[in-house]
Amino acid sequence: MTVRRKDPRLDAAKLLVQIIDKHQRSTDVLNEALNRYPDGSPDAALLHELTMGVLRRRTALIHVTSPLLKSPFSKTAPIIQEILLIMAYSFLYLTKIPPHAIVHSAVQGARKMGGEPAARFVNAIGRALERQLTTKNPLESATPAMQASIPKWMQTLARAADPRPWDDANYEALGRPFPLVLRPHKKQTELLEALIKQGLTATPTKYAIAGIKVDNPAALRLFVPQMAVPQDEASQLVVQALAPQNGERIADLCSGVGIKTSQILSLAPEAELLAVDIDKQKLDKAIELAKTAGLGGFDTLAMDATRLPEHLDGSFDAVLLDAPCTGLGTLGRRPEVRHLRKEQDVKQAAKLQVELLQRALLLLKPGGRLIYAVCSFALEESDGVVDTVLTSNNCFTRQPIESPLVDKNGAIRTFPWRDYQMDGFVIIKITRSC
């Protein structure tokens, strides 16, 4: 029986349609697709590079491709759009691949998806782009922000959050791939040894006490979820800031599939933990993750965290609110965010975040602490939310967090364009005095 070779270029085009047109999460669809490829194969690496690369450079690639079309780029069939962008990305960023091979693979993919008319169309664009590249680099007319696909409204929010001088390197940092970061279930040294034994380059994270940076996404299939979970370094700092202790009663609100829930249990296995999420299926996954990690059990509550029952009020030593947000801080790890988010999403997210924080604070005992965190650099989602809630209640005050990454207000604030290889997070500590 002949085993048909995978086609990473066409597979990447199909994934991009799922991500851009159907708004599916890039990391989810990509990891699912990589499961069908042999571990560590060149085709798997190419699939990863093309999918994430086109998302990071999408605006620049459209800028380069559009002048070669007779009609607007948006009028082209979605799958053919992605084939064109993959072809352009290969020309501009994968320079070791011969031009004839780039065009040939794109034409073959177009033929499979749209027949001979699509194949002729893609061939004509490919040859035109190849000719153009012999005389000039079409990226020269693209601004640094365009080359990193950062829309103007995001640029404005980023500069407001980080008023330090900007240069082109800030944008370029957002156009480069971020490393995979794993958090082991048990000892960091054990996972490091296992990764290195597999021939992978792995190094401990600088700020997260248990994190490990890995140079190859193949580590996901080899070590997740048996030995570790994928969790960005900045994300790991959220639970470190909470500093959970054995014997405490802790609430993890909006806990999702339990990444931070399991981190809390790993640091305080004898804590009395309640995980709350509106989605029961996510809570079931959180329970399964804790079992896989060899951690203890915890209570769950499937409920909207803005409508928690009053009998929970004043009964928790610590509360974690990793609030739903726009995810603007994840531009490096989830590059589709720059294309799918809209400016009005920030205001809508902030409205919900205010409601969540107002309810979450009431759970604290006097003397208790709450960590409010968002993976967004938008001030309206972080300081704006906290200031709105605390202005009307003197029992709650911001407190500085002990970390080398704190800002002048005592909050941990990471920027993916400066703290390259870390997501953008804002982590704020609030205590209750009465």
Side-chain angles (χ1 to χ4, degrees):
M1 178 180 176
T2 302
V3 178
R4 183 173 296 176
R5 188 169 182 264
K6 297 291 184 183
D7 185 347
R9 295 170 181 83
L10 185 55
D11 283 350
K14 292 175 180 177
L15 293 183
L16 288 164
V17 171
Q18 288 181 256
I19 295 163
I20 295 297
D21 279 48
K22 299 181 181 179
H23 292 199
Q24 295 185 19
R25 194 182 182 99
S26 63
T27 47
D28 291 345
V29 298
L30 181 56
N31 290 336
E32 182 181 348
L34 287 171
N35 286 333
R36 299 190 289 270
Y37 281 73
D39 286 336
S41 69
D43 282 350
L46 182 59
L47 175 64
H48 190 281
E49 170 71 23
L50 291 174
T51 304
M52 294 308 223
V54 169
L55 290 172
R56 288 192 298 268
R57 305 293 186 176
R58 188 176 191 83
T59 304
L61 297 173
I62 294 174
H63 170 77
V64 167
T65 307
S66 292
L68 305 176
L69 308 181
K70 293 181 180 179
S71 57
F73 183 83
S74 60
K75 299 296 183 182
T76 306
I79 188 66
I80 304 303
Q81 287 184 27
E82 305 309 333
I83 288 172
L84 289 175
L85 295 183
I86 287 170
M87 181 171 64
Y89 182 83
S90 301
F91 271 123
L92 294 165
Y93 295 99
L94 304 181
T95 54
K96 292 183 179 180
I97 301 177
H100 71 273
I102 293 173
V103 176
H104 175 74
S105 63
V107 170
Q108 290 292 93
R111 182 175 287 113
K112 289 179 182 178
M113 303 309 298
E116 285 304 318
R120 289 194 296 271
F121 172 70
V122 169
N123 183 66
I125 302 303
R127 298 305 176 193
L129 183 56
E130 183 181 2
R131 288 192 298 271
Q132 186 180 88
L133 287 169
T134 62
T135 59
K136 67 175 183 177
N137 181 354
L139 288 175
E140 290 177 356
S141 60
T143 65
M146 182 184 290
Q147 291 191 41
S149 299
I150 308 300
K152 287 185 178 179
W153 69 269
M154 282 190 194
Q155 296 174 43
T156 300
L157 292 180
R159 288 173 181 255
D162 180 13
R164 289 171 290 180
W166 274 69
D167 57 33
D168 294 351
N170 287 349
Y171 292 118
E172 183 55 29
L174 294 173
R176 296 199 298 267
F178 278 39
L180 170 66
V181 180
L182 300 179
R183 177 177 58 79
H185 297 320
K186 296 181 180 177
K187 292 183 179 180
Q188 185 187 54
T189 53
E190 289 180 4
L191 181 59
L192 269 173
E193 290 173 2
L195 288 161
I196 293 169
K197 189 175 290 186
Q198 287 288 336
L200 302 174
T201 301
T203 55
T205 48
K206 184 176 181 180
Y207 301 104
I209 58 177
I212 299 173
K213 289 182 181 179
V214 191
D215 70 341
N216 193 322
L220 283 170
R221 197 183 326 179
L222 293 170
F223 298 99
V224 174
Q226 291 78 14
M227 291 186 68
V229 291
Q231 186 179 4
D232 178 75
E233 181 172 10
S235 173
Q236 294 184 41
L237 299 180
V238 175
V239 173
Q240 284 182 211
L242 183 69
Q245 303 296 315
N246 286 326
E248 289 187 320
R249 191 172 191 216
I250 302 172
D252 179 12
L253 306 185
C254 308
S255 61
V257 297
I259 301 298
K260 292 182 179 69
T261 311
S262 67
Q263 189 181 2
I264 292 171
L265 285 173
S266 70
L267 294 175
E270 296 179 21
E272 182 185 344
L273 179 58
L274 172 67
V276 179
D277 198 274
I278 198 169
D279 188 338
K280 184 181 182 302
Q281 289 184 331
K282 288 183 177 180
L283 290 172
D284 291 340
K285 290 180 180 179
I287 293 170
E288 188 61 34
L289 174 59
K291 289 179 180 177
T292 301
L295 299 168
F298 55 92
D299 295 326
T300 62
L301 179 60
M303 180 175 280
D304 180 347
T306 65
R307 300 179 181 278
L308 295 174
E310 291 183 5
H311 72 81
L312 294 175
D313 291 356
S315 63
F316 289 90
D317 300 286
V319 173
L320 174 59
L321 175 57
D322 185 10
C325 67
T326 57
L328 297 182
T330 65
L331 293 175
R333 209 164 304 284
R334 290 185 55 218
E336 74 276 12
V337 167
R338 71 231 305 142
H339 307 296
L340 301 183
R341 289 299 187 199
K342 306 299 180 187
E343 188 172 5
Q344 59 266 31
D345 293 342
V346 175
K347 191 172 294 294
Q348 292 173 357
K351 182 177 182 296
L352 173 60
Q353 289 155 1
V354 166
E355 294 176 11
L356 285 166
L357 183 56
Q358 286 173 331
R359 186 68 193 89
L361 287 171
L362 297 179
L363 301 178
L364 289 175
K365 298 176 181 177
R369 64 195 182 281
L370 177 144
I371 291 295
Y372 174 78
V374 285
C375 53
S376 171
F377 50 76
L379 292 175
E380 191 171 352
E381 294 186 76
S382 53
D383 299 77
V385 168
V386 173
D387 291 345
T388 297
V389 173
L390 297 192
T391 297
S392 59
N393 199 319
N394 295 328
C395 286
F396 301 97
T397 54
R398 289 179 61 152
Q399 297 292 332
I401 300 170
E402 291 186 14
S403 169
L405 293 171
V406 295
D407 64 10
K408 63 181 180 180
N409 295 317
I412 293 176
R413 198 179 304 268
T414 58
F415 299 114
W417 52 86
R418 293 194 189 274
D419 304 300
Y420 173 54
Q421 300 190 330
M422 263 202 292
D423 286 348
F425 259 84
V426 181
I427 306 169
I428 298 173
K429 181 178 180 180
I430 302 170
T431 58
R432 180 173 188 171
S433 59
C434 56

